[in-house]
Amino acid sequence: MRHAGKRLAGGLSELLPGLLPGLLLLLLALSCGAARADAQVVRMWTLLSGGDGARMRALIDSFNASQQEVRVESTTLKWGEPFYTKLITASVAGAGPDLATIHLSRLPNLAGGGVLRPISAAELAAGGLQGSDFLTRQWDRSQYGGRTYAIPLDLHPLVLYYNKDLAGQAGLLGADGRLAPIVGMDAMTNAFRAVKERTGKAGLTMESAQSTYAIWRLWLSLLAQQGLPVVADGRFAYGPAGERTLAAIARWFQAGYATPGQDYPASTSQFMAGNAGFMINGVWEVPELVRGTRAGTLRFRYGIAPLPQLYGNASAWADSHGFAIPASEGRPMSPEKATAVLRFVAYVNTHSFGWAEGGHIPAYRPVAESPAAMALMPNAEYGAAAASVVYDPPGWYMGAAGPLEAIASKFLPAPLAGQLTPADALRRFETEAQRLLRKRPPRY
Amino acid sequence: MKATRRSEALSAALLLLPFMAAFVLFFLLPAFQTLYLSLTESSLTRTSAFVGLANYDTLVHDPAFWSSLGNTFYFSVLTVIPLTALGLAMALLVDRFTGDRQRAGTWLQSVFFLPYVLPISVMTLIADWMLQPSSGIVNHLLGVQRAWFSDVHWAMPVVAIATVWWTVGFNMLIFLAGLRNIPREQYEAAALDGARGFAVFRHITWPALLPVTVTALVLQLIASLKVFGQTYIMTTGGPFNTTRVTLHYMYETAFTQSDAGYAAAVAMAFMFVVVALGLLQALLLRKRK
């Protein structure tokens, strides 16, 4: 061993002259970096992964290349509960990032809990933005207690994807080659049955494994279609309709039109492989379909429609991504940094056409209302969904991957596989979630 | 003489000091902080009010806590005895390889012990691959299509089996050490008296191993009660909380629901249960000896 060490040391001294030019180059590179050291560095945490993550990455790169004064460094963290737990603890400990992507549905939780820092109109203006730049619904969702706590980026509702080949064989297409309107629960069920019976393929595919949020989103949509709140006056207020609605969803699975227990990848690949007539999912799968069609790997023609009106109206669950500034108590953000942050946020929004190609509906009106965005396919097919979206209801325990969703995700999928009756599933859900409703909103 | 004793006491104190400091700093102090926390209404980082025993009152009437405790016991029942018995069996097997066959014994010992060195994430990944509904080797061999981790009846036993496979090597080592501590002369004397086979095990090996067994059982019980990672990763506590153990429930209340005060109450109650059970078990087993 010692011998080997000696040989290595000897080798190193011989190597050094060879290394010197390299070292000099390195020093030179470092000093060049120092020339940009006065640039404001914005540290961002994002929960965007997959296609969304790649799109955000591209936006960050083009922003960094577009100017010298601000450099955004982003870190991607695991989506869901771990992301928010980390954001909350880091922000409270004063170690949060300068900027974070969040879901607007979490605003009552994050802003109400003191995790975020309000953004003033003057700061917005310094970045080149104002409230009226954004679609009303998303902008309203960015406010908490009369102040702005987030800047919306998009809207991503639940929509109905369909396989035109299978739907056509099942006689579900209109003369224009698009899905004939489906109205009412029975019509939807009949459509699934028609696909199953005429083509032998599944009528519907959607994420249905234990701990999925998908069933909660669909259930929430259908309750909203009946004008029923989930929670009112600190109590669960959906009543018997909640059970009926969950039972109706479960029946699709029990009747064999859809497979229960499928996790997310299994559910989407069933649709992508042409093995299901319909898929209920968020718009974020759009890029995968566009890509498949372009590459010729998708062996069928597809269409996308807003979630059908199965009850009284056409409500559909949606959420929005937005940018927020963590409070990072004891480490207040300098005005220069705040301006730098907002310059980046403004850049992303003005360039959010690329984001729309990810399936999302942009929140920034100049982009959302531009002819190019209006004509963008397949987005135009489901653009109407934006008019009737519902977010998670307000409440500190609500929102994406929030405490209540976490509990709902455990019980609501169980009736699909017949593991619990809908009544039993909801009873257990309420028993456990009750504690959240009674609790005072936490100040983190 | 007196001076020597005093200096001895002094050096003893000096030597004890680092341990005592660490013990107070990293165990005693946090334990008392947890106790205090459990008497307050607190979010993750902020204490808002002293509420006395209110959290404990909630706890007693909280079905989620009791069901999580039930799940923890169920897991312990499924693991403690098999882990101890299997560990003993493996040790006996390895111990048979002596003399010329020593190398084979060492090889076998490594094979039995290897899974124990895996990090929990790797172990759960392997178990997950093997148990996949459509592509897993277990279903392939059994000729079924079961989604083990979302099956109400199978989820916990499957987690238990994976845990036994993962950790049994450690118990084997404990038993092996115990076996090798038994003086060879006893076996020679027994052989001279004509004892063989099971009689040797019953009258020499087993009595000598009893203290080791008691230790293994107590350690195993405590380890099994502290289960968290396996169920958290493999089943996320599902299906519908049938595999959610107490530590998992504590984690959820503290981090998902940001209710640190209540989580501390869960922790204190659970600590009480673990200590009580450990003491009870130790007492019962000692008495029998």
Side-chain angles (χ1 to χ4, degrees):
Chain A
M1 261 334 242
R2 186 182 282 184
H3 190 71
K6 212 181 228 170
R7 207 165 52 202
L8 193 69
L12 206 60
S13 67
E14 280 163 32
L15 266 176
L16 211 52
L19 280 174
L20 265 175
L23 282 172
L24 281 176
L25 266 177
L26 192 70
L27 276 173
L28 204 67
L30 283 173
S31 59
C32 279
R36 283 192 55 183
D38 53 340
Q40 284 282 350
V41 175
V42 172
R43 290 183 314 120
M44 176 169 92
W45 284 2
T46 152
L47 43 59
L48 301 163
S49 60
D52 282 356
R55 279 191 169 69
M56 184 52 75
R57 179 84 258 153
L59 283 166
I60 293 168
D61 288 343
S62 74
F63 172 75
N64 283 343
S66 74
Q67 41 73 50
Q68 297 288 309
E69 296 86 51
V70 183
R71 200 171 79 249
V72 175
E73 291 173 356
S74 98
T75 310
T76 306
L77 301 162
K78 193 170 154 39
W79 191 97
E81 181 248 299
F83 176 83
Y84 286 109
T85 304
K86 197 171 161 70
L87 183 66
I88 290 167
T89 45
S91 174
V92 170
D98 304 314
L99 182 65
T101 58
I102 59 157
H103 291 94
L104 295 188
S105 63
R106 281 293 288 252
L107 219 59
N109 176 281
L110 298 174
V115 175
L116 303 178
R117 160 194 184 284
I119 301 163
S120 73
E123 287 174 327
L124 270 178
L129 293 171
Q130 51 184 342
S132 55
D133 289 342
F134 297 92
L135 294 172
T136 325
R137 199 179 283 259
Q138 284 91 312
W139 184 250
D140 288 349
R141 265 281 158 170
S142 305
Q143 313 296 309
Y144 183 84
R147 305 170 86 171
T148 305
Y149 277 93
I151 296 149
L153 175 61
D154 64 28
L155 180 78
H156 43 266
L158 216 54
V159 290
L160 184 69
Y161 296 80
Y162 59 99
N163 179 321
K164 283 189 176 170
D165 299 351
L166 295 179
Q169 286 175 47
L172 299 170
L173 299 186
D176 59 353
R178 293 170 63 177
L179 186 68
I182 292 174
V183 180
M185 197 52 152
D186 290 342
M188 189 81 255
T189 308
N190 289 338
F192 294 152
R193 182 190 300 129
V195 171
K196 177 87 184 172
E197 284 175 357
R198 304 265 176 84
T199 70
K201 303 285 171 71
L204 165 75
T205 183
M206 76 180 290
E207 198 188 356
S208 53
Q210 53 168 323
S211 72
T212 171
Y213 296 124
I215 305 302
W216 160 259
R217 293 167 182 164
L218 179 60
W219 188 65
L220 199 74
S221 307
L222 298 186
L223 286 178
Q225 292 196 353
Q226 301 165 71
L228 288 166
V230 175
V231 177
D233 301 325
R235 312 175 72 95
F236 287 106
Y238 48 77
E243 187 191 322
R244 275 203 304 277
T245 309
L246 187 58
I249 298 170
R251 228 167 284 135
W252 296 338
F253 291 81
Q254 301 268 293
Y257 307 147
T259 314
Q262 277 188 324
D263 60 9
Y264 190 85
S267 71
T268 53
S269 61
Q270 188 180 17
F271 185 77
M272 303 292 175
N275 290 325
F278 293 92
M279 173 169 77
I280 296 178
N281 202 341
V283 296
W284 49 82
E285 278 302 324
V286 167
E288 201 49 38
L289 288 164
V290 172
R291 200 188 55 76
T293 305
R294 236 175 244 158
T297 50
L298 202 70
R299 306 233 170 267
F300 60 90
R301 290 168 307 128
Y302 70 91
I304 306 175
L307 190 69
Q309 177 184 336
L310 304 186
Y311 293 96
N313 61 55
S315 295
W317 168 91
D319 206 337
S320 293
H321 291 120
F323 291 103
I325 303 177
S328 285
E329 239 171 74
R331 203 175 60 92
M333 182 176 274
S334 69
E336 297 77 36
K337 178 68 81 65
T339 307
V341 164
L342 287 160
R343 270 183 67 182
F344 169 68
V345 172
Y347 179 91
V348 172
N349 270 309
T350 49
H351 292 76
S352 58
F353 185 73
W355 196 248
E357 288 175 331
H360 303 283
I361 299 168
Y364 186 66
R365 282 177 52 195
V367 172
E369 291 165 356
S370 69
M374 301 280 244
L376 184 67
M377 288 302 272
N379 302 42
E381 289 186 21
Y382 57 81
S388 43
V389 294
V390 287
Y391 287 86
D392 262 27
W396 74 265
Y397 39 78
M398 289 289 188
L404 191 109
E405 271 195 13
I407 296 175
S409 74
K410 294 175 182 180
F411 297 106
L412 297 197
L416 310 187
Q419 292 175 309
L420 293 176
T421 64
D424 202 15
L426 287 176
R427 191 179 50 74
R428 293 188 193 209
F429 160 68
E430 279 196 24
T431 309
E432 189 153 336
Q434 211 98 55
R435 227 171 53 76
L436 298 174
L437 269 57
R438 279 198 300 261
K439 229 170 73 79
R440 258 188 295 172
R443 183 91 196 152
Y444 294 107
Chain B
M1 192 68 178
K2 228 176 196 174
T4 338
R5 186 169 284 174
R6 192 172 295 158
S7 81
E8 262 176 9
L10 197 71
S11 51
L14 261 173
L15 286 172
L16 269 176
L17 205 64
F19 169 75
M20 290 307 287
F23 179 74
V24 170
L25 198 64
F26 295 114
F27 179 79
L28 225 48
L29 218 63
F32 277 109
Q33 274 179 334
T34 308
L35 181 64
Y36 174 73
L37 199 62
S38 73
L39 304 175
T40 64
E41 190 185 301
S42 298
S43 70
L44 263 182
T45 54
R46 222 178 286 257
T47 301
S48 56
F50 186 83
V51 293
L53 293 174
N55 283 329
Y56 290 94
D57 186 49
T58 312
L59 187 76
V60 175
H61 303 106
D62 180 5
F65 169 71
W66 292 109
S67 83
S68 78
L69 206 58
N71 293 338
T72 311
F73 287 146
Y74 182 39
F75 176 81
S76 304
V77 167
L78 289 176
T79 49
V80 173
I81 303 280
L83 267 171
T84 314
L86 257 180
L88 175 63
M90 284 175 170
L92 287 172
L93 186 66
V94 169
D95 200 43
R96 289 183 76 99
F97 291 88
T98 48
D100 302 345
R101 298 186 303 165
Q102 180 81 47
R103 279 174 73 102
T106 315
W107 180 80
L108 199 62
Q109 185 182 334
S110 316
V111 169
F112 286 155
F113 187 72
L114 262 179
Y116 187 75
V117 304
L118 294 177
I120 190 161
S121 48
V122 176
M123 184 283 273
T124 48
L125 265 182
I126 296 174
D128 200 49
W129 287 334
M130 292 176 66
L131 293 160
Q132 276 296 309
S134 49
S135 55
I137 189 166
V138 174
N139 279 351
H140 181 72
L141 291 177
L142 296 178
V144 294
Q145 279 259 327
R146 181 166 280 131
W148 298 91
F149 292 126
S150 30
D151 188 305
V152 191
H153 304 292
W154 278 106
M156 191 63 104
V158 163
V159 172
I161 291 169
T163 307
V164 168
W165 167 73
W166 181 39
T167 56
V168 70
F170 179 73
N171 285 359
M172 174 198 68
L173 278 197
I174 294 184
F175 280 116
L176 214 49
L179 278 174
R180 299 204 165 140
N181 265 340
I182 304 173
R184 295 286 133 180
E185 297 80 37
Q186 288 190 16
Y187 286 108
E188 282 159 20
L192 281 178
D193 292 341
R196 60 182 62 217
F198 188 68
V200 177
F201 175 77
R202 199 182 143 200
H203 296 290
I204 298 181
T205 314
W206 179 240
L209 276 185
L210 205 56
V212 183
T213 312
V214 172
T215 312
L217 276 173
V218 175
L219 285 179
Q220 194 53 59
L221 179 74
I222 293 171
S224 286
L225 288 173
K226 287 197 305 187
V227 60
F228 171 67
Q230 294 97 301
T231 55
Y232 180 72
I233 304 177
M234 283 197 260
T235 65
T236 56
F240 44 91
N241 288 344
T242 45
T243 60
R244 183 176 61 182
V245 292
T246 307
L247 287 193
H248 189 171
Y249 184 54
M250 194 175 89
Y251 168 82
E252 281 186 1
T253 43
F255 290 97
T256 316
Q257 306 175 3
S258 187
D259 198 347
Y262 189 64
V266 173
M268 290 311 293
F270 187 57
M271 187 180 88
F272 178 76
V273 171
V274 172
V275 169
L277 272 178
L279 280 178
L280 189 73
Q281 194 195 23
L283 274 177
L284 282 177
L285 291 168
R286 284 262 160 72
K287 206 172 268 176
R288 206 167 286 163
K289 191 173 92 178

